[in-house]
Amino acid sequence: MTCQPLKSPIILAPAGDIHSFLAAIAAGADAIYCGLKIFSARMEADNFSIEELARLTQFAHSKQVQVYVAFNSTIKESETDKVLRILDKLTRYVDVDALIIQDTAMVSLADQAGFKGKLHLSTLANCTHPAGLEAAHKAGFSRVVLPREFNLDEIRAMAAAVPGTMDLEVFVHGALCYAVSGRCYWSSWFGGKSALRGRCVQPCRRMYEQNGKKARYFSCMDLSADVLAKVLKEIPNIGTWKIEGRKKSPHYVYYTVMAYKLLRDAPDQKKQALSFLAYALGRQGSHYNLLSHRVSNPLDHGSETGSGLFLGRIKNPENPYFISREALLPGDLLRIGYEEERFHQIQKVTRAIPKKGKYFLSSKKGRRIKKGTSVFIIDRRGRELEAKLSRLGTELDDISKITIKPSNLSVTHKTAGGSVTSSGPARGHRRKKEPDIYEIDVFRKKPPTLKTHNNTGFWISANSYGIKAQPQAWLWLDPVLFPDEEKICQNYIKTALKKGAKNFVLNSPWQITLFDNPQKLNIWAGPFCNITNCIAVEILKRKGFSGAIVSPELDSRTLLSLPGRCCLPLGAVCRANWPLAISRIAAPDLDLGKGFTSPMGEVAWTSKYNATYHTFPNWPLDLSSKTGELKQAGFVMRVNLFENIPKGIRMKPRPGTWNWQLKLL
């Protein structure tokens, strides 16, 4: 560990459009992160073209503000050339300071494009345990973004393990996902819109029914470190405080940045900072897990969790109005209802209303608003902020637009057969023309009889890391490994190695640092590594992996294209109780092991395994009918993941091909 001199962390602000970008500058942010029109984890934001970003970055640098581009999407094999050409244009025309990335293929692509800025590892990449920081550092990352789920002690443990000149970034404010970042497949499972590719439709925000009660069991309050910022400031190697909100308004960006600047630089003005946060028009805040002795479960709420500040509920649907909890100003934007409700709409306030005043909404034909519908304020354009944005906009107009010329770069793959461009035939690992495909059945406990296959796998965390397995078994590491579990996991591995274990499946690439000599073992990257392209497989090979089980989220075209191009043998998940989400929390009124129903009638349940909660649909992923195609494509391993189905849960006989027949978005 290298302890950097204690210095004030920079404040990193979100920007989903030009107005929010300028609001961050107006508030005094030290850095701004934003996304392009594609390959961003917030595709629902407006985001930026390269032409726009070139001017904005030049303008930000003139104000001593850094700019980071969030390129934090998984990349399909067919997209690597497109990504390289975008990176080439970013390198030539936009002087961004860093890229925030999830897919490790971006390390190689950024290098091929000649990118000279820094690489930051997104929280979506799931580097969640101290030893993993060393692997991230060796991979070329100068900063790791920590999960929102950490408490202060876990943040300290990570900070104490920081290697070299690396530093850490922590979230201090903004929306919370129900799932651990990088471990949510809910949106993808129900329609092919992947959270790992910025397309999440937020199914966790919806209403679900269990035991006859309808509630938003998975919809979180926001994170707000607020007064605990004082404690975070004292932790060494925390270089950045991050504010979430690339889909939020300029008003939100301006006042949250102002608040955390005060909390960092003038803690004696705490009261003013908290008033700024209250005025930022966000959801109700929570300290979440920051205080381990006083955890604030963001699912234990009586408040509304729609985007924006809750104002009241609709009365008299014939002539709808509400009593506002806050004063309203002309131009304020209101959200009526939740996005999944058919009468959901946005309306602009046309006249000033005092606090506790009655405001009548305009009625839209054919969209009758239900009594009791929630109303939120999502944006405000106050005179002070509007004046500042206008002045900055005038300055921005003085910067000339540039013409972006096309790029003609093509990706170079490093395969067993040498280097080839992506436009030519790429040969994968050396194998027989007709490979044998063998199966692994993976369990959380020993099945009654081992009569299926010679290859059996076990989750080593089962029974609190008490599972006993034969030396030839495949030992699976968890998709999320928190700091306090790292030592327990390491000790289990050491004991297993002494007993002759050779076969391991790691579900985060950063777990490779738990092994002293990985090249002497048979270590595979598991399906939760979210491998979607061959460049990522090349990087795994250099780290010491022997093979990779690719992401089961992929569409068939991408999935079947990989074995012939990759430098390692590949496996595919054939049948599985695949989780919709893996979380660190559960709603206190949700019964574990009991079914709940979605608005569309789908059934799922939640089970707890050690420190995490896994939510499963009541129908499995099942590609058993595709075995012939998988074998012909060159897959050498077929994986079946079995879970303990709770009593009372009826598995539904329905096609479970996930995105096989879809185009993964």
Side-chain angles (χ1 to χ4, degrees):
M1 172 251 183
T2 302
C3 186
Q4 304 299 324
L6 195 63
K7 56 183 179 182
S8 289
I10 67 171
I11 294 175
L12 178 59
D17 58 31
I18 290 176
H19 298 297
S20 294
F21 194 103
L22 296 179
I25 293 175
D30 302 296
I32 301 169
Y33 68 103
C34 50
L36 298 173
K37 297 288 186 182
I38 55 176
F39 302 115
S40 165
R42 288 292 183 273
M43 291 304 295
E44 296 303 314
D46 288 344
N47 294 319
F48 302 89
S49 67
I50 291 178
E51 291 85 353
E52 290 172 329
L53 201 55
R55 295 176 64 236
L56 286 166
T57 301
Q58 183 180 341
F59 183 59
H61 285 172
S62 73
K63 303 290 186 182
Q64 289 74 53
V65 178
Q66 295 185 330
V67 177
Y68 307 154
V69 171
F71 219 119
N72 50 346
S73 168
T74 55
I75 301 164
K76 294 195 288 187
E77 180 66 13
S78 60
E79 298 169 336
T80 54
D81 272 351
K82 181 186 289 188
V83 170
L84 178 62
R85 289 166 186 162
I86 293 171
L87 288 172
D88 180 39
K89 288 186 279 189
L90 272 178
T91 301
R92 286 189 288 136
Y93 297 107
V94 188
D95 185 24
V96 296
D97 299 279
L99 298 175
I100 305 170
I101 60 181
Q102 169 193 181
D103 195 320
T104 54
M106 285 289 295
V107 177
S108 176
L109 291 170
D111 182 61
Q112 290 184 49
F115 180 72
K116 301 300 182 185
K118 294 181 178 181
L119 300 179
H120 298 171
L121 188 64
S122 170
T123 187
L124 284 163
N126 204 249
C127 187
T128 60
H129 61 101
L133 295 174
E134 181 64 35
H137 186 244
K138 289 179 179 177
F141 293 98
S142 63
R143 179 178 298 164
V144 169
V145 186
L146 297 183
R148 299 167 176 85
E149 289 76 15
F150 278 179
N151 60 46
L152 289 168
D153 291 334
E154 290 167 329
I155 293 172
R156 291 187 184 99
M158 296 294 282
V162 166
T165 57
M166 175 184 274
D167 67 9
L168 303 177
E169 181 173 304
V170 296
F171 285 91
V172 293
H173 202 86
L176 286 170
C177 295
Y178 167 70
V180 176
S181 290
R183 298 296 178 259
C184 187
Y185 306 91
W186 208 323
S187 178
S188 177
W189 184 266
F190 286 137
K193 294 188 176 181
S194 172
L196 300 176
R197 291 170 59 80
R199 303 283 185 178
C200 182
V201 296
Q202 297 189 319
C204 61
R205 294 287 182 193
R206 296 175 183 171
M207 193 79 74
Y208 293 87
E209 183 174 355
Q210 187 186 65
N211 300 328
K213 175 187 175 183
K214 291 184 178 181
R216 299 186 187 275
Y217 292 105
F218 306 96
S219 186
C220 292
M221 294 186 288
D222 279 5
L223 170 69
S224 180
D226 48 69
V227 295
L228 296 180
K230 180 180 179 180
V231 183
L232 285 171
K233 187 179 175 182
E234 300 302 316
I235 301 176
N237 298 324
I238 302 296
T240 305
W241 289 357
K242 185 173 194 171
I243 297 168
E244 185 279 337
R246 280 194 282 146
K247 291 171 64 179
K248 293 294 183 70
S249 69
H251 178 97
Y252 169 90
V253 172
Y254 181 78
Y255 283 99
T256 51
V257 171
M258 292 276 284
Y260 282 95
K261 275 191 67 182
L262 284 178
L263 290 167
R264 180 191 65 183
D265 302 333
D268 58 313
Q269 297 184 44
K270 176 180 67 176
K271 188 174 181 180
Q272 178 66 61
L274 294 178
S275 71
F276 282 155
L277 291 179
Y279 191 60
L281 310 182
R283 296 181 186 90
Q284 182 178 339
S286 155
H287 285 158
Y288 194 12
N289 280 326
L290 284 172
L291 295 174
S292 57
H293 61 284
R294 195 164 67 237
V295 172
S296 176
N297 187 341
L299 294 173
D300 186 7
H301 53 73
S303 64
E304 295 287 339
T305 55
S307 179
L309 180 66
F310 177 67
L311 292 178
R313 300 185 188 280
I314 295 296
K315 302 177 184 299
N316 189 26
E318 289 76 17
N319 188 20
Y321 70 92
F322 66 95
I323 307 298
S324 182
R325 296 184 177 189
E326 305 290 337
L328 297 179
L329 303 176
D332 288 350
L333 280 185
L334 305 181
R335 179 193 300 281
I336 294 90
Y338 285 78
E339 290 181 332
E340 81 271 14
E341 294 172 327
R342 64 177 182 79
F343 45 77
H344 170 262
Q345 54 191 271
I346 306 294
Q347 290 195 22
K348 184 177 287 189
V349 173
T350 56
R351 63 190 183 281
I353 296 292
K355 186 175 181 178
K356 296 185 179 180
K358 184 184 293 187
Y359 186 79
F360 285 87
L361 298 172
S362 59
S363 298
K364 293 189 177 182
K365 189 175 181 180
R367 299 183 72 179
R368 181 184 172 99
I369 302 173
K370 185 179 177 182
K371 183 179 180 180
T373 295
S374 303
V375 181
F376 306 89
I377 179 172
I378 59 174
D379 193 13
R380 167 168 287 169
R381 297 296 175 92
R383 291 181 181 178
E384 176 189 348
L385 177 56
E386 283 293 285
K388 290 184 176 183
L389 295 185
S390 178
R391 286 195 296 270
L392 290 172
T394 300
E395 292 181 52
L396 177 63
D397 289 341
D398 292 336
I399 297 178
S400 301
K401 296 181 180 180
I402 63 172
T403 301
I404 307 295
K405 295 181 180 180
S407 170
N408 59 2
L409 290 187
S410 293
V411 173
T412 299
H413 288 280
K414 297 175 182 177
T415 69
S419 296
V420 294
T421 60
S422 60
S423 57
R427 292 164 53 194
H429 67 96
R430 293 172 182 172
R431 52 180 172 76
K432 299 176 183 178
K433 290 183 180 179
E434 292 293 334
D436 292 329
I437 186 166
Y438 59 97
E439 288 190 72
I440 296 178
D441 290 343
V442 184
F443 303 91
R444 292 197 182 271
K445 62 180 180 180
K446 287 190 177 182
T449 55
L450 295 176
K451 61 181 181 180
T452 50
H453 310 289
N454 291 329
N455 297 292
T456 303
F458 298 99
W459 293 100
I460 67 172
S461 64
N463 194 25
S464 300
Y465 288 89
I467 189 89
K468 295 181 180 179
Q470 297 298 315
Q472 69 270 22
W474 288 79
L475 302 180
W476 283 58
L477 276 64
D478 275 7
V480 184
L481 184 65
F482 291 115
D484 58 350
E485 290 181 275
E486 182 182 82
K487 196 68 178 176
I488 301 170
C489 184
Q490 278 182 314
N491 289 337
Y492 185 98
I493 291 169
K494 288 178 181 178
T495 301
L497 290 173
K498 289 178 182 178
K499 293 181 178 180
K502 296 287 185 182
N503 304 315
F504 294 87
V505 176
L506 316 187
N507 280 288
S508 168
W510 322 113
Q511 293 170 352
I512 195 73
T513 51
L514 301 177
F515 298 83
D516 294 330
N517 297 295
Q519 291 83 359
K520 295 182 179 181
L521 301 169
N522 187 23
I523 297 180
W524 282 54
F528 291 95
C529 289
N530 300 321
I531 300 300
T532 57
N533 61 74
C534 291
I535 299 176
V537 176
E538 292 169 13
I539 293 172
L540 290 173
K541 183 178 181 181
R542 293 199 292 270
K543 291 179 181 295
F545 285 87
S546 305
I549 303 165
V550 300
S551 170
E553 186 183 39
L554 290 171
D555 53 86
S556 60
R557 183 176 180 180
T558 303
L559 190 72
L560 296 175
S561 72
L562 293 175
R565 302 181 64 83
C566 286
C567 57
L568 287 177
L570 298 184
V573 178
C574 187
R575 184 175 174 82
N577 297 112
W578 189 263
L580 299 173
I582 299 174
S583 177
R584 202 173 190 180
I585 51 174
D589 50 349
L590 181 76
D591 287 342
L592 300 183
K594 279 193 174 183
F596 59 85
T597 307
S598 78
M600 299 300 292
E602 300 111 343
V603 176
W605 81 90
T606 299
S607 293
K608 186 178 183 183
Y609 300 127
N610 291 341
T612 54
Y613 297 85
H614 296 225
T615 297
F616 299 98
N618 75 329
W619 71 99
L621 169 67
D622 188 358
L623 299 181
S624 54
S625 64
K626 314 297 181 184
T627 302
E629 292 175 71
L630 293 170
K631 181 176 180 180
Q632 187 176 12
F635 283 96
V636 301
M637 179 187 290
R638 188 171 71 185
V639 176
N640 304 312
L641 302 175
F642 296 97
E643 295 294 340
N644 307 322
I645 311 298
K647 292 180 180 179
I649 296 293
R650 290 183 58 218
M651 298 302 290
K652 194 171 183 179
R654 61 178 287 181
T657 54
W658 200 350
N659 292 321
W660 179 273
Q661 296 174 326
L662 303 177
K663 181 181 179 182
L664 175 66
L665 297 177

